[in-house]
Amino acid sequence: MSAHDLYLPCRDVLEELVTQTLGVDSAAVVTGDGFEVAAVLRDGIAVEKLAAMVSSLLALSEAVAQELQMSGCRNVIVETDGGAVVTLRIPASGHELLMSVLCSDAASLGSVLYAARDTAHALGRRLLT
């Protein structure tokens, strides 16, 4: 399955995540090397920049975890005064894919993390078929 073939399955799942998770206003699936696969983003977000940054952020976090002799980095959460960004790997064999979810400060971070993990696993299963 090529990156182009991944667009529709990823976009559908992202739309569902954004519309059904309170406080989530944007989400993107990107490649491990920082390129967009699919995104549902609020106005003003440059998907090219987001893709490159979250790819680098996750790679750096994994290097920190490895240096500290901790097991693999499951996710990265960046909390700000205006909300949070949750980034995690999508478990899809044959594809190095990441998902980033942006939420407002009104969102429950636990709920967003749960929804993001659930969505990543559902997307991984969907891409295997």
Side-chain angles (χ1 to χ4, degrees):
M1 192 178 278
S2 72
H4 179 72
D5 296 331
L6 297 173
Y7 174 79
L8 283 178
C10 291
R11 172 100 183 161
D12 291 345
V13 170
L14 294 177
E15 291 259 359
E16 186 175 324
L17 174 66
V18 170
T19 59
Q20 295 186 6
T21 308
L22 187 64
V24 170
D25 60 23
S26 300
V29 172
V30 304
T31 62
D33 55 353
F35 294 97
E36 173 193 10
V37 173
V40 176
L41 302 174
R42 68 176 184 253
D43 290 340
I45 299 176
V47 69
E48 300 84 10
K49 287 182 180 179
L50 177 66
M53 288 187 289
V54 298
S55 170
S56 296
L57 182 63
L58 192 59
L60 180 60
S61 298
E62 288 173 340
V64 169
Q66 184 177 15
E67 183 63 29
L68 297 174
Q69 299 177 348
M70 302 173 87
S71 55
C73 178
R74 291 180 20 194
N75 52 260
V76 176
I77 300 171
V78 177
E79 277 188 275
T80 72
D81 291 338
V85 180
V86 175
T87 302
L88 49 103
R89 289 202 176 279
I90 296 171
S93 64
H95 303 286
E96 186 181 5
L97 298 174
L98 316 174
M99 184 175 65
S100 192
V101 179
L102 291 70
C103 63
S104 69
D105 60 345
S108 162
L109 191 52
S111 295
V112 172
L113 183 57
Y114 177 83
R117 285 181 179 160
D118 191 51
T119 299
H121 287 283
L123 189 51
R125 288 189 302 272
R126 187 173 187 178
L127 295 177
L128 292 176
T129 59

